[in-house]
Structures are given as C-alpha cells and as structure tokens.
C-alpha cells in the first residue's frame, strides 16, 4: 500500500471535522445525540470521499467506523456539557475549544517536531486523529487502543458531569480522568514508537544483510 503525502493529514482533518460538528452541534442544540449523529454523518462522508478518491485502500473499515463513532460521542459529550453549564453561550465555548485544538493539531501535522509529545497527549483531538489515522493507513484499532480508551473514558466522565450539573464536585472526577488517560496515551505512544523503530531496524537488516 502506497501512501500519498496528503494522506498524512487525513487523521487530523477528520478529527477536527468530527470535533467541530459534534461539539458545536451538541452545544448549540443542547442535545447529545444530535451532535453524535451529525458528527458520524460528517465523518462517514469524509472517509467515503477519501476512499472514492483512492487516496488509501482502507484495509480496516470497521476500525475506521469504531474510531469515528467513539470520537463523535466524546466530542458531542463535551458540547452537551457546554450547553448545560453555559446555556446559549455554550456553542461559543465549543468554537473556541475547536479553534484552539485545531491550531495545535495542524501545527503538529505540518511540523511534527515543533510541539512536545506530552502536550499532544493532552488533546482529545490528537487522540481522535491518531485513532483515525492508524485505522486508515493499515495498522488498525489495536495500534490506537489507548487513544480510543481515552476518548471513551473522557466521554463517560463528561456525561457524568453534565448529568450531575450544577454540582461542581464531578469536575474533579473529569479532570482526574483526563490527566490519567492522557498519561496512558503518552505511555502508549512511547511504546508504539519503540515498536516502530524496532520493526524498521529489523526490516533494514533483512533488506541489507551483512556480507
């Protein structure tokens, strides 16, 4: 499978589309499932468009579907919380959050060495980007299991906060979950990088055996 250079931006673009549609729609309407539904439809249309163009073979369509679904729920949950906590101004908060994470994500995609890995590990948009990118480019769900787990975990914590609003103590649970899951994502990314380096080294040895 040959990857075109622009396919490397497929994950970040898909993640920001899901985040924009899911979070802003849920924040504007105050309805979680409206955000989820619109995000899934947008993500599915984008992935289908990439597939029709033949940019990538997409060997794991179920992995792509799982990544899109989990990310959509996670982002819509945050939008629903903004609507619950800020009322009709919730969608403004959603727009600001999307803009901030998008700026970081595209900076990292354009210049991978610019931002530290620990910073990217803190961003749910980056989790979604990695999950979608690995599914699109052939490594499947297992390669991004920590990112998917983090998205699901933060969705659960966020929905708990929204359900118990206006109580403030659940924010402590959400904050602790976010930090803990970010640490797992960072650790998982480090393991993935080590495994990739080992695989590359083994391939080079096979292609260039010692005389």
């Amino acid at each position: 499978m040959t990857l075109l250079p622009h396919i490397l931006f497929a994950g970040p673009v898909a993640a920001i589309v899901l985040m924009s549609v899911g979070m802003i729609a849920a924040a504007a309407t105050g309805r979680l499932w409206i955000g989820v539904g619109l995000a899934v439809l947008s993500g599915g249309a984008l992935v289908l468009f990439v597939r029709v163009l033949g940019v990538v073979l997409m060997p794991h369509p179920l992995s792509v579907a799982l990544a899109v679904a989990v990310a959509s729920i996670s982002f819509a949950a945050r939008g629903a919380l903004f609507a619950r906590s800020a009322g009709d101004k919730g969608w403004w908060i959603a727009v600001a959050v999307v803009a901030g994470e998008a700026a970081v994500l595209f900076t990292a995609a354009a210049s991978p060495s610019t931002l530290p890995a620990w910073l990217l590990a803190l961003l749910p948009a980056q989790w979604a980007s990695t999950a979608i990118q690995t599914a699109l480019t052939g490594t499947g769900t297992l390669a991004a299991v920590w990112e998917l787990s983090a998205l699901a975990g933060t969705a659960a914590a966020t929905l708990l906060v929204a359900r118990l609003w206006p109580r403030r103590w659940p924010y402590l649970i959400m904050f602790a979950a976010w930090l803990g899951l970010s640490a797992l994502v960072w650790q998982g990314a480090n393991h993935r990088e080590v495994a990739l380096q080992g695989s590359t080294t083994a391939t080079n040895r096979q292609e260039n055996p010692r005389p």
Side-chain angles (χ1 to χ4, degrees), residues 73-97:
I73 294 171
S74 185
F75 294 141
R78 293 169 70 186
L81 176 59
F82 295 152
R84 193 74 182 271
S85 60
D88 58 1
K89 294 183 175 63
W91 73 275
W92 283 102
I93 300 175
V95 169
V97 171

Side-chain angles (χ1 to χ4, degrees), residues 98-185:
V98 169
E101 293 202 29
V104 174
L105 205 60
F106 286 129
T107 298
S111 181
S113 60
T114 300
L115 301 174
W118 63 263
L119 175 60
L120 297 176
L122 293 171
L123 300 180
Q126 175 65 21
W127 307 345
S129 174
T130 300
I132 295 170
Q133 189 72 38
T134 54
L136 284 174
T137 56
T139 47
T141 301
L142 290 178
V145 63
W146 294 119
E147 285 81 0
L148 288 173
S149 299
L151 287 167
T154 52
T158 303
L159 291 174
L160 174 64
V161 175
R163 182 177 181 81
L164 296 177
W165 178 264
R167 298 180 182 90
R168 301 301 177 91
W169 62 264
Y171 275 103
L172 295 176
I173 298 176
M174 186 175 70
F175 185 70
W178 169 60
L179 289 180
L181 292 168
S182 296
L184 290 177
V185 168

